[in-house]
Amino acid sequence: MRHWLMKSEPEVFGIDDLERVGVEPWEGVRNYQARNLLRDEMQAGDLAFLYHSNCKVPGIAGIMRIARGGYPDDTAWTPGHRYHDPRSTPENPRWFRVDVAFERRLGRIIPLSELKQAPELSAMPLVRRGNRLSVLPVSPQEWDFILSLETPRD
DNA sequence: GCCAACGTTGGC
DNA sequence: GCCAACGTTGGC
C-alpha cells in the first residue's frame, strides 16, 4: 500500500465536503505528471492526506482512502463541462481520476508552516517553493512523521 | 490582491 | 526543437 497527498481548495472541496459525501470522484486533474500518478500508481486501498490549499491556513486536514484506482475522467469529453478537453475521447482517454473515500479528520489541521519547519520533511516537494503538483507520493517515513504531529507531545 | 514559479502553447 | 507569451497555482 502506498501513501499520497492530494491538494484541494477547501472553498471548492474540503474535508467537510468529503465527510458529507463519503466518496468522491477526484476529477479535473489536467496535469500530466499528476495524471500519470492517478492512472498508473494509485490503487484501491492506498491512503492519502487531504491538503487544503490556497486558503487562509494551508495544511493537512484529513485522511482519505483510495476507493477506486485510476480510470478515465469522463468530464474531459463532456461538452460544456468546466473540465472539458476535446483532445480526450472515450476511445483514447487522456485524463484520469480516482475515487476517494473519507477516512477521518485529523485532530487538528497541520499547517504548512509547521511542516516546513520539520527537517524530517525537507525532501517533500510540498514544502519546496514553487511546487504545483496536486498529487504527490508520500514516503512511509514522512507519513508516520506527519501523523506524529497530530497530537503535540508536550 | 500580489506575484513568483511553473506548465503549456504555438510561432518560427 | 527552441523559447517567448500566456494562463494557472498557491503562498503570503
Side-chain angles (χ1 to χ4, degrees):
Chain A
M1 185 198 56
R2 297 186 64 185
H3 298 95
W4 308 93
L5 180 144
M6 302 169 81
K7 297 180 188 174
S8 184
E9 301 186 17
E11 302 269 305
V12 178
F13 188 86
I15 192 70
D16 293 345
D17 303 291
L18 183 61
E19 183 168 26
R20 190 178 63 250
V21 300
V23 180
E24 177 76 2
W26 201 266
E27 61 195 21
V29 174
R30 297 293 181 264
N31 167 283
Y32 289 103
Q33 209 178 336
R35 186 278 310 268
N36 293 345
L37 295 175
L38 293 172
R39 185 188 60 188
D40 305 331
E41 308 284 343
M42 300 180 75
Q43 297 188 351
D46 289 356
L47 295 177
F49 287 128
L50 175 56
Y51 175 86
H52 284 176
S53 68
N54 202 16
C55 55
K56 194 166 182 181
V57 182
I60 295 174
I63 297 177
M64 316 188 281
R65 184 170 31 81
I66 307 304
R68 181 180 176 186
Y71 65 102
D73 182 351
D74 64 25
T75 64
W77 58 75
T78 304
H81 197 282
R82 86 175 265 235
Y83 297 132
H84 182 227
D85 179 353
R87 298 170 301 181
S88 188
T89 64
E91 296 73 30
N92 190 16
R94 176 175 298 227
W95 304 115
F96 285 72
R97 66 186 175 199
V98 299
D99 289 351
V100 298
F102 178 81
E103 190 76 16
R104 68 177 181 89
R105 295 169 169 274
L106 294 193
R108 66 187 182 105
I109 290 184
I110 301 175
L112 176 63
S113 58
E114 193 173 328
L115 301 174
K116 281 183 166 175
Q117 288 168 17
E120 292 87 345
L121 303 178
S122 61
M124 286 189 83
L126 183 72
V127 303
R128 304 261 169 123
R129 203 168 82 157
N131 162 65
R132 292 169 49 179
L133 197 59
S134 64
V135 179
L136 309 169
V138 176
S139 77
Q141 293 78 14
E142 290 162 347
W143 182 272
D144 290 342
F145 180 79
I146 290 168
L147 284 181
S148 80
L149 298 175
E150 187 179 7
T151 311
R153 55 174 160 284
D154 43 291

